[in-house]
Amino acid sequence: MSPEQEQVIISKIQNGELPLFTDIYDHYIKQIYGFIFNRIRHKETTEDLTSVVFFKALNHIGTYKGGGAPFAAWLYTIARNTIIDHYRKAKPQDPIEDFWDLASDINIENDAEKNIQLAQLQKRMQTLTPRQREVVTMRVWDNLSHKEIASVLGISESNSKVVFSRAVSQLGETGIVALILLSLTQ
Amino acid sequence: MDPLNNILNELYQLDPGLKNHEPALKKIIAELLASKPHIKIDEQFIKTLRTKLSLQADSLQTHTHSNGWFKLPYAVSAIAVIVIIGASTILYFNRTIPTPENISSNNQQLQEKNTILALGKNAFGSLAEVPTNSGRGSGGGGGNAASSYMAPEAINGDISTKMIAPDIMQPNYRFVYRGEPVSLSDTEVTVYRRVKGLTVPQSLANQIAKVNFGILNSNNFSQAKLDSYTLNQESDFGYSIMVNLSEGTINIYQNWSKWPQPQDNCNNEACAATSRIQLEQIPNDDEVIAIAQNFLKEKGISTQGYGTPFVQNDWRIQYDQMPDKAEAYIPEILNVTFPLSIGDVPVYYEGGQKAGLNINVDVRNKKVSAVMEITNQRFESSSYAAVTDFEEIKRLAEQGNFRYATPFQQGTITDIPLGTPSKGLVKLMQYTDGKNNELFVPALIFPVENLSRGNPYLYQTHVIIPLAKELLGKEQPPAYILEKSAR
């Protein structure tokens, strides 16, 4: 579905053709599910929260204003806020930034070598700020554009690019250091 | 471009100096991409959520009043609109060819293959509230459909044994099971119920509900809503399209006034005989199916979810049995069925024929004359207790149906073999809480064998026995006129 087709459908939905919402659903279900799963890592909870996101979107689609902000960003914002609400209910005392980390069960691969690499990556990600981790995750795993990331996080597009660039550079530097150390020990 | 190079190019646009660290950047971005969790989403979850959202959208639609001005996509000046609340609306459209952009929500629903929403056990209430047979072919399509012998007093113990005999003495057929033993191990079966309803844009429905005819002002009827409407084509060989929004069905029939009716010009039998269809005028099945398929394609009627079409040729059984072919029935209308399956299980009418999308083809004019049962394929499902005693099923199959045993008339009885059954779904109507529901109940489908072996008036192709426990064991006597039954 092209952005233009999407806007036509959204306009029709907002003008009363609500059953067309399933077109939007078909287009975004896998992306939103993936966005939530990347942060929750629990199938049943992901399904519950995904359902909540789409029902919220359907019930409030009249509030989507368009005018430059992509619809995807609006939907991802609902998803992000739903995840935040979920964590606040589950662990109200913990800082919300802690939830934007890679999940601790990242070592789900059967490949032992890959598990080691992932563990090292997770260590390096801990050197980033929560905002950096969030931008990196949204850009690389969720494949959102910087325009969409900016809209979801309430920052500017250029800010999103800068945050990402610094994060990757920082990971790259520590990676280079790790590589050097690794080569010295072999 | 692949994701890795995409990200790299973004970074270089921001800071060209990063190119000097390309190997490290490539490595870290590749690691990040590789660390992405493998996500496996349950397809059933996707379908179930879609159905729930669709139902919610429909529900919101009926309570939503659009503030926007609805722009009819067709030339409004050419339209004469007549509205009868709850009955029919006749609209004449100056149509454009449908494009993907203006596919309506109705067509979206009609184009879906089965979507099934699972509900809790016994969610449809009692299945036994099934007052009438459903749909076409019920009762076997003619003849004294085979039945087990019942002594008249067994029908109703205190009723006189005298019966008013039917006008036509027809042969007695007795079904006898000759198939393999069947084991029924499932203690529950999944029953389906079609989710009804089609929608039009709420703003259009609102406009129609507010028309003032002068002699009647629709505005005086609060909360009235559009329930059904009819479109009539005022051209030669035009059609009437009847849309029932609450039932969620669309039927297309000939606009009779626009089709030639040669027998209308006859006032005697000799004249009528000259216009009777002859056997050589009947097209072969491929040609009939092609007429049906071309019509559906031209009108944009989806056959998604339906199986390979076939022509209902039951009339040929009777034709072959008639000694005097001049007196044999040759149809002017042939039926093409696109069979329906739910979850890959075929659906049958109670009388034994396959259910689905039905298209009538006018033999004389080689045109489609009707398309019936255009519906959505949205269903709810619920578990019900199942019959596990095959002997009971077999008894009912040899009775010819699960509702009643027909007593034999005087004369010889011919045994008709039933073959090993297959599994299917039988379409039944349930009337409850003032509503007619379409239920699809798992059943065993027994094929009737030796149909064409000189057995006149035997047209039943299958005997269908449902497997839901509460539907069985409630046989009622048929509606014969009995002397004392007038009491």
Side-chain angles (χ1 to χ4, degrees):
Chain A
M1 187 190 299
S2 69
E4 293 76 25
Q5 284 175 321
E6 183 181 271
Q7 279 306 314
V8 167
I9 289 173
I10 291 168
S11 293
K12 287 185 177 180
I13 295 171
Q14 290 178 323
N15 272 325
E17 294 187 49
L18 287 157
L20 284 177
F21 184 80
T22 47
D23 287 356
I24 300 296
Y25 170 82
D26 291 338
H27 186 63
Y28 283 106
I29 174 59
K30 290 188 177 173
Q31 291 159 261
I32 295 296
Y33 184 96
F35 180 87
I36 296 173
F37 185 82
N38 285 342
R39 290 153 181 81
I40 299 289
R41 298 300 186 89
H42 184 259
K43 176 177 176 281
E44 284 74 22
T45 308
T46 300
E47 289 179 356
D48 289 345
L49 296 184
T50 303
S51 302
V52 168
V53 168
F54 279 102
F55 272 101
K56 277 186 182 174
L58 171 60
N59 291 334
H60 296 103
I61 197 159
T63 64
Y64 169 65
K65 291 288 187 287
F71 178 80
W74 183 78
L75 200 56
Y76 277 103
T77 303
I78 296 176
R80 185 173 181 269
N81 291 340
T82 302
I83 294 170
I84 291 173
D85 290 342
H86 167 73
Y87 277 127
R88 288 208 192 283
K89 283 178 195 163
K91 292 183 181 180
Q93 69 283 2
D94 290 352
I96 201 70
E97 290 76 17
D98 288 355
F99 299 131
W100 300 125
D101 291 346
L102 296 177
S104 58
D105 59 342
I106 193 173
N107 53 340
I108 52 176
E109 300 292 333
N110 291 327
D111 186 335
E113 188 181 333
K114 190 159 184 188
N115 277 335
I116 294 170
Q117 287 175 344
L118 293 175
Q120 287 174 343
L121 176 64
Q122 185 171 15
K123 262 190 174 171
R124 297 206 295 276
M125 289 285 277
Q126 294 300 323
T127 65
L128 303 179
T129 64
R131 173 54 53 89
Q132 286 176 323
R133 285 201 292 273
E134 204 173 358
V135 171
V136 166
T137 310
M138 288 170 96
R139 182 66 193 90
V140 179
W141 282 5
D142 303 316
N143 200 29
L144 265 63
S145 67
H146 284 292
K147 185 174 181 176
E148 288 163 343
I149 295 170
S151 192
V152 173
L153 298 181
I155 59 179
S156 68
E157 187 178 345
S158 60
N159 191 212
S160 175
K161 289 178 181 176
V162 168
V163 167
F164 182 75
S165 170
R166 286 185 183 158
V168 170
S169 300
Q170 193 169 324
L171 287 172
E173 284 169 7
T174 53
I176 290 167
V177 169
L179 276 174
I180 293 170
L181 287 174
L182 198 62
S183 67
L184 289 176
T185 56
Q186 283 180 340
Chain B
M1 197 185 290
D2 67 278
L4 185 141
N5 284 317
N6 244 350
I7 292 171
L8 282 174
N9 285 335
E10 277 175 11
L11 290 170
Y12 300 155
Q13 278 177 7
L14 188 66
D15 181 358
L18 287 172
K19 235 182 177 303
N20 299 329
H21 303 286
E22 186 165 279
L25 287 172
K26 264 191 174 173
K27 185 174 183 299
I28 191 63
I29 293 169
E31 280 183 0
L32 285 168
L33 286 167
S35 69
K36 182 177 172 178
H38 174 67
I39 297 170
K40 193 171 183 306
I41 183 169
D42 186 342
E43 289 298 325
Q44 188 55 46
F45 161 72
I46 294 179
K47 283 183 191 170
T48 302
L49 179 55
R50 192 183 199 280
T51 301
K52 287 180 184 174
L53 286 165
S54 184
L55 291 171
Q56 173 73 352
D58 289 346
S59 171
L60 287 172
Q61 176 109 353
T62 61
H63 293 97
T64 298
H65 297 280
S66 170
N67 292 321
W69 179 257
F70 180 76
K71 292 178 185 158
L72 292 169
Y74 312 107
V76 176
S77 59
I79 294 173
V81 177
I82 302 169
V83 175
I84 300 172
I85 295 169
S88 65
T89 302
I90 301 171
L91 295 166
Y92 180 78
F93 282 141
N94 197 6
R95 287 202 63 180
T96 56
I97 304 294
T99 64
E101 285 73 32
N102 64 24
I103 288 177
S104 73
S105 60
N106 290 349
N107 278 347
Q108 288 295 107
Q109 293 162 40
L110 296 175
Q111 284 177 358
E112 291 169 355
K113 200 172 170 345
N114 308 161
T115 58
I116 299 169
L117 175 65
L119 303 178
K121 284 188 188 180
N122 303 318
F124 308 144
S126 170
L127 302 178
E129 295 191 48
V130 185
T132 59
N133 293 343
S134 71
R136 300 169 61 248
S138 56
N144 187 20
S147 46
S148 62
Y149 175 73
M150 273 180 75
E153 59 268 22
I155 299 171
N156 190 320
D158 60 352
I159 297 295
S160 166
T161 58
K162 287 188 183 174
M163 289 185 286
I164 297 176
D167 289 333
I168 301 169
M169 290 300 296
Q170 294 177 358
N172 294 305
Y173 296 120
R174 175 171 56 202
F175 288 128
V176 179
Y177 183 66
R178 296 268 162 82
E180 300 293 320
V182 172
S183 164
L184 299 174
S185 54
D186 292 334
T187 55
E188 288 184 341
V189 286
T190 302
V191 177
Y192 301 92
R193 180 173 68 184
R194 190 170 68 82
V195 177
K196 292 186 176 183
L198 288 172
T199 54
V200 293
Q202 188 62 35
S203 49
L204 171 62
N206 290 344
Q207 294 292 322
I208 292 171
K210 287 175 184 172
V211 173
N212 183 352
F213 294 97
I215 57 170
L216 178 141
N217 186 351
S218 307
N219 275 306
N220 294 335
F221 295 82
S222 64
Q223 298 183 316
K225 66 172 190 173
L226 186 64
D227 182 73
S228 60
Y229 64 87
T230 301
L231 304 176
N232 275 343
Q233 274 189 301
E234 298 295 326
S235 50
D236 288 343
F237 296 102
Y239 294 94
S240 291
I241 304 157
M242 298 176 182
V243 181
N244 188 314
L245 299 173
S246 55
E247 287 293 312
T249 56
I250 299 175
N251 290 294
I252 302 172
Y253 299 106
Q254 296 163 289
N255 183 355
W256 285 104
S257 62
K258 297 297 176 184
W259 285 60
Q261 308 291 339
Q263 52 271 40
D264 287 355
N265 298 325
C266 288
N267 55 16
N268 60 62
E269 179 61 27
C271 174
T274 60
S275 63
R276 198 169 291 150
I277 291 287
Q278 303 301 312
L279 186 66
E280 50 271 18
Q281 288 177 271
I282 300 288
N284 64 40
D285 285 1
D286 287 343
E287 190 181 340
V288 176
I289 291 172
I291 293 171
Q293 285 178 321
N294 288 341
F295 180 87
L296 295 177
K297 190 175 171 187
E298 184 191 308
K299 304 302 179 191
I301 298 171
S302 172
T303 56
Q304 186 163 347
Y306 295 102
T308 305
F310 62 93
V311 179
Q312 298 269 9
N313 279 317
D314 298 352
W315 65 273
R316 289 190 186 271
I317 301 173
Q318 180 194 12
Y319 181 88
D320 290 341
Q321 290 168 359
M322 288 294 283
D324 182 1
K325 302 300 183 197
E327 295 297 319
Y329 167 68
I330 299 174
E332 300 207 5
I333 303 288
L334 291 173
N335 175 267
V336 177
T337 298
F338 285 70
L340 173 69
S341 292
I342 300 176
D344 296 325
V345 181
V347 178
Y348 290 80
Y349 295 115
E350 199 177 326
Q353 292 175 326
K354 283 195 169 174
L357 184 65
N358 289 294
I359 295 98
N360 282 352
V361 175
D362 181 314
V363 167
R364 194 185 304 281
N365 297 294
K366 302 263 192 319
K367 287 179 181 297
V368 167
S369 60
V371 181
M372 295 164 288
E373 297 186 53
I374 303 173
T375 68
N376 63 47
Q377 292 188 37
R378 293 184 297 161
F379 303 94
E380 296 166 320
S381 67
S382 178
S383 297
Y384 280 80
V387 178
T388 51
D389 179 5
F390 181 67
E391 289 304 310
E392 173 65 6
I393 298 287
K394 196 176 84 171
R395 180 187 75 79
L396 293 170
E398 290 178 338
Q399 183 176 275
N401 66 88
F402 71 95
R403 295 188 187 277
Y404 54 78
T406 306
F408 290 133
Q409 301 172 56
Q410 288 177 351
T412 56
I413 298 171
T414 304
D415 284 350
I416 302 293
L418 293 178
T420 306
S422 58
K423 285 196 174 169
L425 293 163
V426 60
K427 182 177 174 181
L428 301 173
M429 297 304 293
Q430 177 201 43
Y431 184 74
T432 184
D433 296 330
K435 292 180 203 167
N436 262 324
N437 294 312
E438 287 177 30
L439 298 182
F440 301 84
V441 182
L444 286 184
I445 317 296
F446 293 81
V448 175
E449 297 176 342
N450 303 336
L451 265 179
S452 56
R453 295 222 186 135
N455 294 317
Y457 303 109
L458 179 65
Y459 315 129
Q460 191 170 354
T461 56
H462 298 88
V463 173
I464 314 270
I465 306 297
L467 291 170
K469 207 175 205 173
E470 66 169 285
L471 284 174
L472 305 185
K474 291 181 167 57
E475 291 111 270
Q476 296 292 322
Y480 280 114
I481 301 172
L482 302 172
E483 264 199 3
K484 290 190 180 178
S485 66
R487 292 192 293 216

